[in-house]
Every structure is written in C-alpha cells, then in structure tokens.
Amino acid sequence: LLIAAAVLATTVIALLVARPSPPGARSTGPPILAVGNLRDLTATDSTPLGGVLSEMLTTSLGRLTDIRVVAHSRILELTAPADTSQRARTEAARRAGANEILEGEVMPVGRDSLSLALRRVDLATGVVHRGYRVLGVDRYALIDSVTTAIAKDLRLTAPTGALADVSTRSPIAYRLYEDGLRAFFQFDAASAHRLFRSAIQEDSTFAMATYYAWRTAATVGDPGLDSLGVRALLLASRAPDRDRLVIVAHVGATQSDLGALVAAESLAAKYPTDPEALVRAAEVFGTSGPDLGRVAFLLNRAVAVDSAAGPERALVCRSCEALQTLTTQYRWADSTTLAERTVRRWIALQPSNSAGWIALADLDVALGRTADAVRAARVADSLGGPGSHDLDALSAALRQDKLDDVDARCRRDLASASAAEFAEIRWWCVIGLRMQGRYRAALSLAREGLMAGSPKPRPGAGAEPIQSAWLDYEMGRPLAAAFQFRRFAADAAQDRATAPGLVARHAAWNLTLAATALVANGDTTEARLLADSVESIGRRSLYGRDARLHYFIRGLVLAQDGQQQAAVTAYRSAMFSPTFGFTRVSYELAKTLLAMGRPADAITVLRAPLHGGVDGSGLYLTRTELHELVAKAFDAAGQRDSAATHYAAVTRAWVNSDPALRARYEAARAYGGRKGARE
C-alpha cells in the first residue's frame, strides 16, 4: 500500500540530528515555516505523492502552538497551475512570508519500515538550520514523529494525539483532496467539487474535504449545500487550529452561528499575515455589526499581505476578494464615495476580471448613473461576465424606476419561462406590480401565477408566500398579514433541519413583520409582547440586524402612543444598515421626524434606502412609497424642485394604480401642476 490505512501500534524511532547554525544566522523567535515538496521514493505507481505528504506535514505542524505555518492551500494559491516543482513551491513559500522551508524524502528501510529525512532550510541563504531523521512503520507515524522532533527542537509543546485525528486516515482521500485543491485554485469548480465529494466518500469524517465541498457546492448547484455546511461545522474539531477556525467562521457566518464571532476574533489575532484568515474574520465582523473601521482595517491588511507576495501570482487573487468584500461593506454603510474608490482599486488590480466591472455597474445603478452602468456592464460582458443576464436586468430596471421596461420583460419572460425560471422571474415581477400600486394584479400573480392580461393562471405555478402575506398588509388587511407571518415564525421555530442561528434569524424576522401588521391594526398590546420575544430570539442570531429588530417594534408602539422623541430614539437603535437594512425602519423614522417638523433630518434618512435594493430587507417598502415620502420631506423643507422630481416618479409609477391609491396619486400629480403654475 502507498500509505498504511492506520498507524500501527509499533515502536517509532525518532532521531534528531542537530546541525549547528552558521554565524550570523537568525536565531530570534520561532521561524515562519512552510513545507516544500516531500519526495516519496517508495511509491510504486506513477502518481507522485509529494503534494499529499506536504499537505500531511503542514496539517500536522498546524497542531503546534506559538508558531506560524503557511497553509498548504496558500502555497497552492501562489503556485502556477500544474507546476509541482520544488523551485515553484519554494518561491511560493517565500512570497507567502515564510523564512524557512522544510524539504526531504521518504525512503524504505528494510521490509517493514520507512525513513523520513527532513531539512529545515533558510529561504534567504539556503543554509540548512536543522536536519531530522525519523523511522516509522507508515507515513502517518513518520509525520507524527517528525512533528514531535521539530517541536522539541523549537522548544514548543508537542501536539497530543495523532495526525489522523485532525485529517484523514485514508491515503486515497488525501490524494483526492490534494487534486481537488489544485482544481479549485484553477477555478475549475466542477472538477474540484467532484474530487472533494469523492474524498468524502472515501472518508466521511474528513473535515477539510467537507468544507471545500461546501464552498464549491453553490457554484455547481449541489442541492446538498446546506447539509454539507452543517457537516463541516460538526467536523471542524477534526481539523488543525487554523483550519478549524476558518471553517467555523466561514460556514458559521452563513448559518448566523454566534460561534463564528469567537472564531473570527481568534483568526484576526492569531493569523495576522494570512489573507484568507483576515478576510473570513472581516466577513464575520461585517455580518454581526457595523464595526466598519475594524472590518476595513482587516481587509486592507489582507490586501497588503497578498500584494506583498509579488506581481507574479497564480489566478487566485485574495486582494480582489478582500476589495470586493470591502466594497460591499462600504455600500452597506452608504459610504458610496469609499465604495466607488474601492471598486476602482479592485478593477485597477485585475482589469480583466469581470466581477469588478459588474460591481461597478451595480454601484452606478444604485447612484442613478444609467449611462455609466451600461458602459461598465458592456465591459463585463466583453470579459465573459453575466452583465446582461435577464434577471439582473429586471432588478436593475426596478432600482431605476423603469417600470415600463419591467412590464415588457415580465410579459415576455413569464410567458416563455420554464417552471424554475417562472418562480424566479415572478419574484421580481410582483415587486414591479407593487411599485405601480397594482396590488390586485400583484396578488393574482403571487398566489395563482396569473399574469396581467392572461385569462388563465399558469398551471402548477403554486403560491409565492412571502409577498402574498405582505400584499395583505399593503391592501389594508393587516390581521391577515400578521397571521401569516406568525405562522412563518412558528414554522421556523419548529425546523429541526435548519441551523439554530438561522432558525432564530427567521423567527425574529417574521415576528417583527407580524408586529408591524398588528400595530397597523391598532393592537399595541400584543406588539409589545412580540417585541420582548424578538429581543430574546434575536440575540441568538449572528446577523446584526436581528438583535436590533425589537427596537423597531417598540418605536412603532411609541409613535402610536404619541411619544415621538422616544420613537426616534428607538428607530435609530434599530438601524443596522441605512441602505440594505430593514428599509421600513428608515421610513417610519422619517415619518416621525417629519411629524416633529424636522424635514432636513428626514431627507438624510431617506436618501440611503434609494441606494439599496428592492428585495431582501428592502422588500417591505416599495421605492414608490420612498419617493412619495422623500417628496413630502423636500416640500416641507422648501426644496420644491427636488420635491417635484420625486413626485414625478410617484405619478409615473401610480398612473394605473388600484383605486385605494388614487387619492395619493392625484396629490402627487397635482403638486407638479401647482409647481408649474407658480413658475
């Protein structure tokens, strides 16, 4: 066998061969280690095992404390595709910040034993600082023994347990995982996912193979994405410290798991020169709360560390990932100037990467720069990016109030869509009808799949429950809406297949929507009780919005009771993101500020949601309603030209609205007439 399936209970001989360092050699503190290629001179087939042995030793060294070891994945990132030479790996180690590299050979000794000769080489001088030779019955025993020897040499605490406890006992799984990493870092997601899945089939307890299978699952459309995430978290303790923290932070953040916050703190503190660790930590901090300064510091540090690796790099760009995350964080904070500066920095770093141009086009859409958005999207298209995808175009048209374009696309696309496409396109088309105040048509499409102008509903379309429930609120049936959202919350609380953090997130969110509807019906007593429940449940979710939601409910109740200043304070406490947070917080806050005679403050609050999206947390307030309230605020502030601009958006949207909105439509239309008469 290439590698024994398990470590045999046989005595392992470990011999430490010390070689004195030359005069002037570095001797202060533990070195920063990387593992080069380990040649396996016992292999009987044509497939080299050097990469597998290097991964094994890197994983084993990762069990040591108080020493930095460059991750095997980082070495692969910085190595040109298919280049497995020692020279390439040595150069990657140097660029990754290591100052010493381990290299050596595994050789047979007699019939039943193996020998590993290992050298610690100074990357700057090429001088061998130490040599190690260990004997063992298999490769796992060799790696365990040499790790202990290195720990003793560097006066570190030797790890407890065996390498197999934090990796895999299957040599086949190791090789599949190694090949999967190479495919992953060459952007071949399909091949990588297949290899990681195969590694899991060989060893279902292999934590890192499960984690990378989860990372590639969304790209290839694997329906097992969620179960892979849950499994990766359960297996995280079987990975070395750095990898364990990455799994808990990365997967945990997607599952609103509070444990991700603890892992992120450790990643930021213990791995300040590891770009992936810094990015994962920043993502968690950005999810949990608006600590923009800390997030920006970590992401800019990741860019600096990655850039220090030099201009010759593989296809992977950690700096790009960091800048993409930083752009998103600035947009969530409505810091549009910093967002644009960052995305242009990203494009300058990788001008041929379509993702940067797509991000710029999306930002241009948010800022109302239509011509610039079209130009950026064309560049993205030319680079192979999905800049003109129909669903993206629908979303962009909604965010630019181009409702005639939305109607035309919906008539065309809904009629010809497949079942899966219909559900996705319908989501945007219902939003478009709601923006037009055509609530009855929106409800028919949401509940029955009945398109406007069509005599029959689409067969098998089913109902879209979320917008259906909110349409009851918009159409003046708040009790019906409250009932449905409470049912959604109850369903979430009883879901045993979903991660606890996500259960808390869904429950807190739906109870907040139920309370919103109850206050609209005048029931503040029940709303107060729901606020207490939301406060308790929201604390169990990592997502920073959820712990703040109860303040919004309390603000609604206070405003209903006429306590305007207290309501303003509560609404401000509820604010998570002014652009992509719960936009009804901004709406109700602005309404209260207007009632208090503070239109300038109301204008400031309302501008940010217009830079955000039309679904997610922004689903529960249409852009048309935003335009209407912004117009009122500008009018109260004496800025009549600005008021007229927003009222014009209202009249264009609501020209064919339901009767319930006609009075508001006529008021908006009349404002334009009054302004024209004054002029």
Side-chain angles (χ1 to χ4, degrees), residues 401 403 435 623-624 627 643-654:
D401 305 304
L403 297 177
M435 285 177 62
R623 282 179 58 89
T624 311
H627 281 301
T645 298
H646 288 280
Y647 271 130
V650 175
T651 55
R652 287 193 300 270
W654 282 351

Side-chain angles (χ1 to χ4, degrees), residues 556-620:
L556 291 175
V557 173
L558 289 165
Q560 190 91 330
D561 292 344
Q563 300 181 55
Q564 293 176 329
Q565 185 54 57
V568 166
T569 301
Y571 290 140
R572 291 198 185 280
S573 297
M575 191 75 69
F576 177 56
S577 165
T579 42
F580 294 98
F582 188 20
T583 49
R584 289 207 73 88
V585 176
S586 301
Y587 186 76
E588 297 295 342
L589 172 57
K591 277 174 56 179
T592 305
L593 290 169
L594 265 178
M596 297 171 68
R598 297 164 57 184
D601 292 338
I603 292 168
T604 300
V605 168
L606 291 170
R607 275 177 168 154
L610 288 170
H611 298 155
V614 293
D615 69 337
S617 291
L619 181 69
Y620 305 89

